[in-house]
Amino acid sequence: MHFPTVFAAAAAVATAQAELIGFNYGSTFTDGSAKAQSDFEAEFERAQALPGTDGEFTSARLYTMIQGGTTDTPISAIPAAIDTQTSLLLGLWASAGQADFTNEITALTSAITQYGSDFTSLIVGISVGSEDLYRNSPTGIAADSGAGADPATLVDYINQVRSAISGTSASSSSIGHVDTWTAWVNGTNDAVIEAVDWLGMDAYPYFQNTISNGISVANATFFEAYDNTVGVASGKDVWVTETGWPVSGPQENDATASVANAETYWQQTGCSLFGKINTFWYILEDALPTTPSPSFGIIGSDLSSAPLYNLTCSNAALGSTASSSASSSKTSSAISTASSATKPASASGTNTESLSAAAPGPETSPVSASISQTTAASVASRVASSAASQGSSGVASQSGSPSASTMTSAAVTSSVVVAGGYTSTTYQTTLITITSCSAGCTSSETSVAGASENATSAVAPTSTASPSSASVGTAAPSPATSSATTAAAASSSASVTFCDANLNGEYQYPHLIVPVNSAEPDTAYGTQYNGTITPTTSTIFNFDLPSSYAGKTCSLVFLFPEQAALETSAFTFNGQGGISVNELSSPATQETTYDSVPSVAVSAIGTLASVSPGNSYVVASHECNAGATQAFEFVSTGGLSLEYFEDWNPSPIGAFITVC
Ligand SMILES: *[C@@H]1O[C@H](CO)[C@@H](O)[C@H](O)[C@H]1NC(C)=O
Ligand SMILES: *[C@@H]1O[C@H](CO)[C@@H](O)[C@H](O)[C@H]1NC(C)=O
Ligand SMILES: *[C@@H]1O[C@H](CO)[C@@H](O)[C@H](O)[C@H]1NC(C)=O
Ligand SMILES: *[C@@H]1O[C@H](CO)[C@@H](O)[C@H](O)[C@H]1NC(C)=O
Ligand SMILES: *[C@@H]1O[C@H](CO)[C@@H](O)[C@H](O)[C@H]1NC(C)=O
């Protein structure tokens, strides 16, 4: 599967016409007690009265049609929405089996009968399910996220809802499904894409803890996920049904939960979405009565208190200017008019009252119990939801890897690059270049105190793929710290530029990491976090190279720090052998097996005769194949057996492409 790069996202953003702006609303509080109509009303009124938002949070996404504590009574968010003129993205819980799904449909049709067009005129969409496919995926299962549903079941349920609403005043409602972006890009789920009118995408860069996921790259990471989803959506609308950044909670790789970062994410990502793409933020309030960890609420536990951070968009995305685009929206303009009429009545007093009135007994049905659990746990489930596929993912199971406290020795590693067998660059740490030897370092130059072993990599000088010296020389000036230009290779008169074997400059991480196993030639393992290179298992890495790399040099590098330099990653290595790397003619997919590996385009484009921890290697280097997806297969030689968790922080480990 090809994953378009983030660079296509801007276009997708620019062309989108939709503009629902709202929050997600669970059916229960954090103690599992059901929200009453007055609770929903208080929340909807507060959303419309948030300072800095110009009253534009007029839409609510629900997870279930069923009122907490009942079997199939319509959720009281419906009359609350009617009273506050809040538009509704309805949700039917789809992971509890047919009997419970039938109750969801009963609640939907009962509500249509009971409230009529007052209700149906507010419906902006109906989601059949929420993250059901994710919960059924390996990462969802590993994260203990609860029961899911398979694609065929969801398609069946979608058809059931279509027939349930036909002939009613809700018959024109568009039907979608909400899932993590990783579930959408999984081709096995394509039948769901075919069955829906629109795709609801949940994405949380905070949880993508196997890649660089600090707040500084969060916006780009989010839009990459969005763009990946748009890329598989068959032209259907992609709605952002959940995203947000926690105000408190645990560190996830380099993502810090904080009010300041939540504000930055709102400002960068939220304000890029609001008014352009249907967006349901996670979340208005999630801390009543107890604060979950992480907590995403933009308001603390007191609904009437001020937001925790400044919600005003500096790009004026929320405001009269931006909302003039409302005319193109499928949301009825009557709703926005009505809601702006209710907006000034901000509800400090009433909110307090209604909240204190909300102390329902714990009389929850099994269904509502499972929903409340999911709603509360849905955030936790995202630990793996974000990015499992494409190697860019957050994975819960990894958080228990080597303990950070025992592995915080900084700057211990030395790295030696011997590129092309002719040029060496020495690094004192994996991140700082201290030596550059343009004509080939002597062994004493390549040896650095602290290095456990010397690296000797015999790298094929990228024979066929190497650009002419002229094109390299002009197009790719080496940065001062770079390993510089090699001397002419014996087999080629071309001079080849190598980019740094570190991630200080521009780089790409693999978007798909797919092992293939000669002992299980029919097995498709799908994308993984680990690179596995053993005598029977090779790993294919797909890289998506943006078209903006045209004319630049790309170096495939293999970074192998010492264990002591790793905090969130680990490797197991038998200390013998090397790695041979083939460039493949086409990318791997989630379905690639040993028997279906794409043909080899360049055999042994790079060969590392031996590898050892504490070293970084340039495997191959040539002019960037800009705009292409390139796949490289790492094959064990000489009995090498290496498994590692591809990671970025604090010391990168694994296959990357550096750009210069
Ligand atoms: C892809 O989707 C199918 C069907 O939902 C699921 O069984 C499978 O585990 C998913 N694969 C991955 C890698 O998520
Ligand atoms: C966030 O990314 C989108 C898509 O690339 C872009 O349009 C927007 O300007 C970015 N926002 C900020 C604040 O960088
Ligand atoms: C909130 O942010 C907006 C836009 O950046 C700014 O104009 C305004 O002064 C800020 N308000 C406060 C109270 O900081
Ligand atoms: C590493 O280089 C040093 C200095 O040249 C040399 O003495 C040593 O034997 C080398 N070690 C290995 C494992 O090759
Ligand atoms: C990934 O590799 C590391 C290091 O060998 C290992 O500890 C971890 O269990 C592996 N993870 C998986 C999911 O196989």
Side-chain angles (χ1 to χ4, degrees):
M1 181 172 299
H2 175 76
F3 296 100
T5 66
V6 64
F7 290 82
V13 170
T15 55
Q17 295 295 313
E19 54 109 40
L20 297 168
I21 305 175
F23 290 108
N24 287 272
Y25 295 90
S27 63
T28 59
F29 293 107
T30 49
D31 60 0
S33 60
K35 291 180 187 171
Q37 179 179 339
S38 55
D39 300 320
F40 283 115
E41 258 179 61
E43 291 186 335
F44 295 165
E45 283 172 359
R46 187 71 183 112
Q48 293 177 8
L50 288 171
T53 67
D54 207 39
E56 297 201 31
F57 279 79
T58 55
S59 201
R61 175 183 168 229
L62 308 178
Y63 294 84
T64 175
M65 294 306 305
I66 300 172
Q67 173 62 15
T70 75
T71 304
D72 56 12
T73 302
I75 189 165
S76 56
I78 294 169
I82 294 170
D83 284 354
T84 58
Q85 285 300 289
T86 297
S87 68
L88 290 170
L89 169 50
L90 302 175
L92 285 79
W93 193 254
S95 283
Q98 179 67 63
D100 288 324
F101 194 74
T102 301
N103 290 337
E104 291 280 353
I105 291 182
T106 301
L108 170 61
T109 53
S110 302
I112 295 171
T113 307
Q114 184 177 348
Y115 300 107
S117 59
D118 287 350
F119 163 48
T120 56
S121 64
L122 294 174
I123 300 174
V124 293
I126 302 176
S127 177
V128 175
S130 178
E131 299 192 355
D132 313 86
L133 299 169
Y134 156 70
R135 286 191 300 277
N136 254 11
S137 73
T139 45
I141 292 162
D144 225 0
S145 60
D150 61 31
T153 301
L154 290 174
V155 170
D156 179 26
Y157 288 175
I158 288 164
N159 291 333
Q160 291 178 29
V161 173
R162 286 197 194 283
S163 48
I165 62 173
S166 80
T168 74
S169 58
S171 62
S172 63
S173 304
S174 68
I175 296 185
H177 166 74
V178 168
D179 226 300
T180 58
W181 69 274
T182 51
W184 286 121
V185 301
N186 174 349
T188 313
N189 297 325
D190 281 354
V192 179
I193 296 176
E194 282 162 35
V196 294
D197 301 320
W198 49 268
L199 287 64
M201 183 204 76
D202 295 354
Y204 291 86
Y206 165 76
F207 286 117
Q208 297 190 219
N209 61 9
T210 66
I211 58 165
S212 163
N213 68 337
I215 189 63
S216 62
V217 295
N219 186 54
T221 304
F222 171 84
F223 278 100
E224 185 169 12
Y226 180 79
D227 191 48
N228 286 342
T229 308
V230 170
V232 299
S234 303
K236 297 180 179 180
D237 270 1
V238 177
W239 301 7
V240 177
T241 39
E242 288 180 36
T243 192
W245 192 278
V247 294
S248 61
Q251 184 81 8
E252 289 289 348
N253 194 13
D254 41 0
T256 302
S258 70
V259 170
N261 287 346
E263 176 169 7
T264 300
Y265 190 71
W266 172 279
Q267 193 61 237
Q268 296 193 340
T269 302
C271 295
S272 298
L273 291 169
F274 301 141
K276 298 203 183 93
I277 295 171
N278 287 343
T279 300
F280 296 86
W281 199 257
Y282 198 91
I283 195 168
L284 175 65
E285 183 188 49
D286 65 357
L288 191 69
T290 56
T291 304
S293 178
S295 172
F296 284 73
I298 64 169
I299 291 235
S301 57
D302 177 1
L303 199 54
S304 60
S305 64
L308 296 172
Y309 49 87
N310 186 349
L311 303 177
T312 304
C313 288
S314 57
N315 66 356
L318 295 170
S320 44
T321 321
S323 63
S324 64
S325 65
S327 50
S328 65
S329 154
K330 55 181 80 167
T331 325
S332 81
S333 46
I335 293 171
S336 13
T337 312
S339 58
S340 58
T342 61
K343 164 188 73 171
S346 89
S348 28
T350 48
N351 286 343
T352 320
E353 278 170 40
S354 51
L355 283 176
S356 55
E363 184 204 357
T364 45
S365 74
V367 175
S368 59
S370 82
I371 291 167
S372 69
Q373 178 193 14
T374 310
T375 310
S378 74
V379 171
S381 76
R382 310 259 157 49
V383 168
S385 80
S386 9
S389 51
Q390 308 159 56
S392 48
S393 257
V395 68
S397 52
Q398 280 300 335
S399 48
S401 307
S403 110
S405 56
T406 60
M407 300 199 170
T408 9
S409 52
V412 289
T413 40
S414 326
S415 300
V416 180
V417 175
V418 182
Y422 305 100
T423 295
S424 303
T425 301
T426 305
Y427 301 90
Q428 185 164 29
T429 77
T430 50
L431 294 179
I432 298 168
T433 305
I434 58 165
T435 306
S436 179
C437 317
S438 59
C441 299
T442 67
S443 54
S444 65
E445 285 170 317
T446 61
S447 173
V448 179
S452 61
E453 290 184 59
N454 303 333
T456 50
S457 70
V459 181
T462 68
S463 47
T464 56
S466 95
S468 77
S469 57
S471 74
V472 168
T474 54
S478 272
T481 56
S482 127
S483 52
T485 309
T486 58
S491 61
S492 158
S493 59
S495 177
V496 179
T497 296
F498 291 80
C499 306
D500 285 347
N502 63 41
L503 304 187
N504 289 354
E506 190 156 13
Y507 69 93
Q508 288 284 322
Y509 55 83
H511 286 177
L512 209 67
I513 301 179
V514 175
V516 294
N517 181 356
S518 61
E520 301 282 347
D522 298 334
T523 302
Y525 293 93
T527 195
Q528 306 285 322
Y529 312 102
N530 275 11
T532 307
I533 308 163
T534 71
T536 54
T537 299
S538 302
T539 294
I540 302 168
F541 299 86
N542 283 7
F543 291 91
D544 297 301
L545 302 175
S547 44
S548 61
Y549 286 3
K552 295 186 173 183
T553 296
C554 283
S555 293
L556 176 66
V557 302
F558 184 71
L559 309 181
F560 193 11
E562 290 177 2
Q563 183 65 62
L566 300 171
E567 290 178 11
T568 52
S569 181
F571 61 80
T572 52
F573 178 43
N574 67 353
Q576 67 186 69
I579 300 172
S580 179
V581 179
N582 300 320
E583 180 172 355
L584 303 181
S585 58
S586 58
T589 70
Q590 300 263 15
E591 285 77 40
T592 298
T593 66
Y594 178 82
D595 279 347
S596 68
V597 172
S599 63
V600 171
V602 184
S603 180
I605 192 169
T607 306
L608 306 177
S610 67
V611 297
S612 57
N615 294 296
S616 306
Y617 304 91
V618 176
V619 174
S621 194
H622 52 69
E623 188 170 346
C624 295
N625 220 331
T629 299
Q630 277 193 298
F632 298 96
E633 180 182 21
F634 281 55
V635 182
S636 161
T637 61
L640 173 135
S641 186
L642 170 64
E643 182 177 18
Y644 69 91
F645 182 63
E646 175 103 9
D647 199 7
W648 179 87
N649 192 46
S651 295
I653 177 169
F656 297 87
I657 285 182
T658 57
V659 185
C660 59

